[in-house]
Amino acid sequence: MANCSKGNFLLGLLLGAAAGAAAAYFSDRRHRQVFADNVSSTVERARDSIVEGYYEAKERYNRYRNRLTDEANDLLEEIESAND
């Protein structure tokens, strides 16, 4: 049990140190602005990647759908001509 409370104490100490370092870092307006700009650009890149992936998937879907439709129509024509 003593090891568990030592581990909890160390975890609390590390979390407190991290929170203190973050508070000190973000107390500077320039650091906050740089951080906000970095997060904003990361979000924009992620959004652009998602949109690009969507349109690529949509194009691929349409291409395969058209190919499948064409092959199904060809097969139906073969079946109809074989029945005649």
Side-chain angles (χ1 to χ4, degrees):
M1 184 81 178
N3 287 338
C4 183
S5 54
K6 284 182 184 179
N8 288 340
F9 175 76
L10 287 175
L11 179 62
L13 185 64
L14 289 174
L15 289 175
Y25 181 81
F26 288 118
S27 66
D28 182 12
R29 185 170 197 225
R30 185 176 53 84
H31 285 142
R32 283 193 312 267
Q33 187 63 41
V34 167
F35 179 78
D37 291 343
N38 288 340
V39 168
S40 177
S41 67
T42 300
V43 168
E44 285 180 27
R45 283 194 311 267
R47 185 195 65 213
D48 291 344
S49 294
I50 290 169
V51 168
E52 183 179 321
Y54 166 77
Y55 284 113
E56 183 179 322
K58 183 178 176 183
E59 175 63 32
R60 187 176 292 171
Y61 164 77
N62 286 329
R63 191 171 54 240
Y64 288 135
R65 184 192 65 191
N66 291 340
R67 185 187 314 164
L68 184 59
T69 300
D70 291 344
E71 289 179 11
N73 286 336
D74 291 344
L75 184 60
L76 286 174
E77 287 175 7
E78 284 181 33
I79 293 171
E80 286 175 358
S81 67
N83 286 337
D84 290 337

